[in-house]
Amino acid sequence: MCLLTYYPQGVAPQTDALLNGAHLNNDGHGFAIVAGSQIEVRRSMNPEKLVESFERMRKKNLDGPALFHSRLSTHGSIGVQNCHPFFMGDRRTVVAHNGILPKEVHPQRGDNRSDTRVAAEDFLPNSSFGSFATRAGRRRLTQWLGRGNKLAILTVDPRYRKSSYLFNEECGIWDDGVWYSNFGYLEPLHDFSDGCPLCESAAEMVDIYGFCEICGCCVDCEEYVESCCCYVPAMQARG
């Protein structure tokens, strides 16, 4: 799943949300902060220490945008080398991503990089989409991504008019001034260790918001998702 979090200029981190996402997506973490004419990037396998570092550094650098990423591995090895964000082209631009990118950037046999890392290092700097600073370039990149992929780019390259770009922004969630790629930042409110009370499916068939993937009911109130009011954001996400 992964969780990509984007902070506009002036917005401070919400530690609990980052830690919720990190615990659900525990294959490595990283952040980037636009700080004047450079981008500060840190990566770690230890979410608690990295969130603490991000909170401290972000408070000192609120004048630019920032992002935080927690990874759930789909391609490539697990380790700091595959933690987002990745430099794209040069050290003035970084990219982070949530989803599974098209097959053009899936790593070949023997390549331990993730699909996002391959895209950042090999594909996007040389793509035919054109500059993402242009409307046409952003449209082509969005079409290539498809609806299932969300991408954040931070840059201090003076060729670009803005210091941040969000792709498929409408597929994520804005909450209290922060953009999240999915609801993984929320703490699950349900105890579904016994599985579904209606259809008796195993706990593995209940998602992180407490809805059964088989019959579609809430394990707390036993109402179907359309009628459940236990957890409105999750209900809206399925609408």
Side-chain angles (χ1 to χ4, degrees):
M1 180 171 60
C2 295
L3 178 64
L4 171 59
T5 306
Y6 167 75
Y7 298 87
Q9 177 183 355
V11 179
Q14 299 175 359
T15 302
D16 289 345
L18 291 177
L19 289 174
N20 288 337
H23 293 153
L24 283 172
N25 305 279
N26 59 359
D27 289 335
H29 318 273
F31 68 77
I33 302 172
V34 172
S37 61
Q38 63 183 6
I39 300 180
E40 297 285 351
V41 176
R42 302 287 188 276
R43 304 181 185 91
S44 176
M45 301 302 291
N46 186 318
E48 286 79 13
K49 288 186 177 180
L50 195 70
V51 168
E52 181 181 346
S53 177
F54 178 62
E55 184 177 31
R56 182 176 64 253
M57 293 179 65
R58 179 59 175 161
K59 287 179 179 178
K60 295 179 181 178
N61 296 283
L62 284 171
D63 291 338
L67 64 82
F68 195 100
H69 186 278
S70 288
R71 181 183 181 224
L72 190 65
S73 173
T74 55
H75 295 94
S77 59
I78 296 174
V80 173
Q81 70 278 7
N82 277 326
C83 291
H84 303 217
F86 302 102
F87 289 105
M88 188 175 73
D90 57 38
R91 299 185 72 84
R92 296 178 295 178
T93 303
V94 299
V95 60
H97 159 251
N98 175 205
I100 299 177
L101 290 171
K103 62 182 180 180
E104 292 98 318
V105 295
H106 291 187
Q108 300 297 313
R109 184 183 299 273
D111 188 346
N112 291 324
R113 296 179 296 171
S114 69
D115 55 344
T116 311
R117 185 177 166 195
V118 172
E121 294 178 352
D122 299 344
F123 183 76
L124 292 176
N126 304 304
S127 74
S128 59
F129 302 142
S131 171
F132 57 83
T134 68
R135 186 177 300 175
R138 291 194 296 274
R139 184 181 68 250
R140 295 186 189 104
L141 177 52
T142 301
Q143 290 173 342
W144 178 74
L145 288 171
R147 299 289 290 176
N149 289 287
K150 299 142 197 175
L151 202 74
I153 295 175
L154 302 185
T155 185
V156 292
D157 189 330
R159 293 179 298 171
Y160 301 113
R161 185 173 59 87
K162 300 194 301 180
S163 57
S164 64
Y165 296 85
L166 275 177
F167 294 86
N168 283 330
E169 174 187 347
E170 69 281 4
C171 297
I173 306 104
W174 282 100
D175 189 340
D176 199 19
V178 180
W179 182 86
Y180 302 93
S181 62
N182 55 59
F183 284 106
Y185 70 98
L186 296 171
E187 182 178 1
L189 302 180
H190 305 265
D191 178 10
F192 47 79
S193 57
D194 294 330
C196 177
L198 286 188
C199 71
E200 299 184 352
S201 295
E204 290 79 6
M205 299 310 300
V206 181
D207 70 18
I208 62 171
Y209 307 114
F211 292 101
C212 177
E213 297 284 4
I214 301 300
C215 70
C217 82
C218 168
V219 299
D220 278 357
C221 67
E222 301 186 11
E223 292 284 348
Y224 289 100
V225 62
E226 292 81 4
S227 303
C228 170
C229 294
C230 294
Y231 197 38
V232 175
M235 181 178 68
Q236 290 175 339
R238 288 166 167 257

